[in-house]
Amino acid sequence: MALVLLNARMSERSFKHWSAPAVLPLIALMLSKFSLIMPLSTAEAIRFQLLQAPPFIVNISADLKYCVGEITTSTNALKGVEQFLAQLNHREVWMASSVHKGEHEGELRELYRLMPISVIGGSFLPTSSGHNIAEAMAAGSAVITGPHVGHFSHMVSAMQSFNPLSILQVSGEAELIKSLHELLSDPLKLEARQTAAKQAFHALSFGILSRVWIQLDWFILKRLPV
């Protein structure tokens, strides 16, 4: 049986924990059982190797969290949201997502496509590990995050490197309020951020599954006994 670790993460905090002499032999033994480890960045790949993962099984991979699928909205859901928006009497609206437990991914995906601005609420809490921004960007919603993006920091950096307008990262409540006011009062700025978000998502997500499959095929499937 071949064991593969996809989207492998090893934060600096976790690395320090597993590097302790008391537990290093345990993690080294665990990692030696894998046939392929696919971390998301060079830094994480180095951490896995420092934890004694065999170097030849560590291969940097694309982030599977980009693979959110096609953003579509069912007819019934669309009617419900349109009725809700009509009740607002054409007021300017925006959405804060990932702000409490119980939010369902399917519902968020439908709302992202209909909202001009999506604020990723989980990124404003220092105890949070962030929330996937790819869904909102794929839907063409202007994305605003807070300072605590956690596990998605590499995704935020990649998006901003591709186009600084793709994600607006604010420091806190005051800057969030100011940014919302600026975007809602300037249709051109809002449209520019919506377009940048969608373009950055498509550019960075293109071919991810194919690249991951090629690695799996090369390192795992071709080496299995016939």
Side-chain angles (χ1 to χ4, degrees):
M1 178 184 294
L3 295 178
V4 178
L5 188 57
L6 297 175
N7 254 37
R9 290 198 301 260
M10 179 60 66
S11 67
E12 186 174 352
R13 179 180 178 183
S14 296
F15 173 71
K16 289 180 180 178
H17 169 76
W18 287 111
S19 297
V23 293
L24 181 57
L26 174 60
I27 187 66
L29 176 62
M30 292 170 56
L31 294 176
S32 70
K33 303 301 181 182
F34 285 92
S35 300
L36 178 62
I37 297 175
M38 302 174 72
L40 302 179
S41 67
T42 301
E44 288 171 312
I46 292 173
R47 289 172 191 149
F48 277 107
Q49 293 183 53
L50 290 174
L51 293 175
Q52 301 181 17
F56 59 87
I57 71 168
V58 179
N59 291 270
I60 297 174
S61 169
D63 191 348
L64 289 173
K65 290 187 180 296
Y66 283 110
C67 302
V68 298
E70 188 68 24
I71 304 295
T72 58
T73 305
S74 66
T75 302
N76 290 336
L78 182 59
K79 287 182 179 179
V81 173
E82 287 177 343
Q83 290 173 0
F84 171 71
L85 294 177
Q87 293 175 11
L88 295 176
N89 195 26
H90 303 292
R91 295 179 183 176
E92 295 170 330
V93 296
W94 55 278
M95 181 177 77
S97 65
S98 186
V99 294
H100 62 80
K101 294 181 179 179
E103 293 180 357
H104 299 291
E105 182 179 338
E107 295 172 350
L108 287 178
R109 287 162 61 89
E110 292 175 343
L111 288 170
Y112 280 141
R113 196 170 74 86
L114 300 168
M115 292 294 150
I117 303 173
S118 296
V119 178
I120 311 302
S123 61
F124 287 85
L125 302 174
T127 56
S128 173
S129 57
H131 186 76
N132 195 349
I133 59 176
E135 295 170 335
M137 300 186 74
S141 184
V143 177
I144 301 178
T145 73
H148 306 289
V149 291
H151 298 320
F152 299 92
S153 59
H154 59 282
M155 185 182 288
V156 171
S157 297
M159 293 287 190
Q160 289 180 329
S161 295
F162 180 84
N163 188 334
L165 294 179
S166 61
I167 297 178
L168 177 57
Q169 191 168 19
V170 298
S171 59
E173 181 180 352
E175 192 175 354
L176 171 62
I177 294 173
K178 178 182 177 182
S179 299
L180 286 170
H181 175 73
E182 288 179 353
L183 291 178
L184 290 172
S185 61
D186 191 332
L188 292 179
K189 279 187 178 180
L190 177 58
E191 184 180 3
R193 287 203 172 268
Q194 291 170 333
T195 301
K198 197 161 191 175
Q199 288 178 345
F201 168 79
H202 284 298
L204 295 174
S205 64
F206 180 77
I208 282 181
L209 285 178
S210 297
R211 297 199 298 273
V212 171
W213 181 254
I214 288 172
Q215 287 181 295
L216 289 174
D217 183 51
W218 177 258
F219 285 95
I220 304 298
L221 300 181
K222 288 184 177 179
R223 301 184 184 187
L224 292 177
V226 179

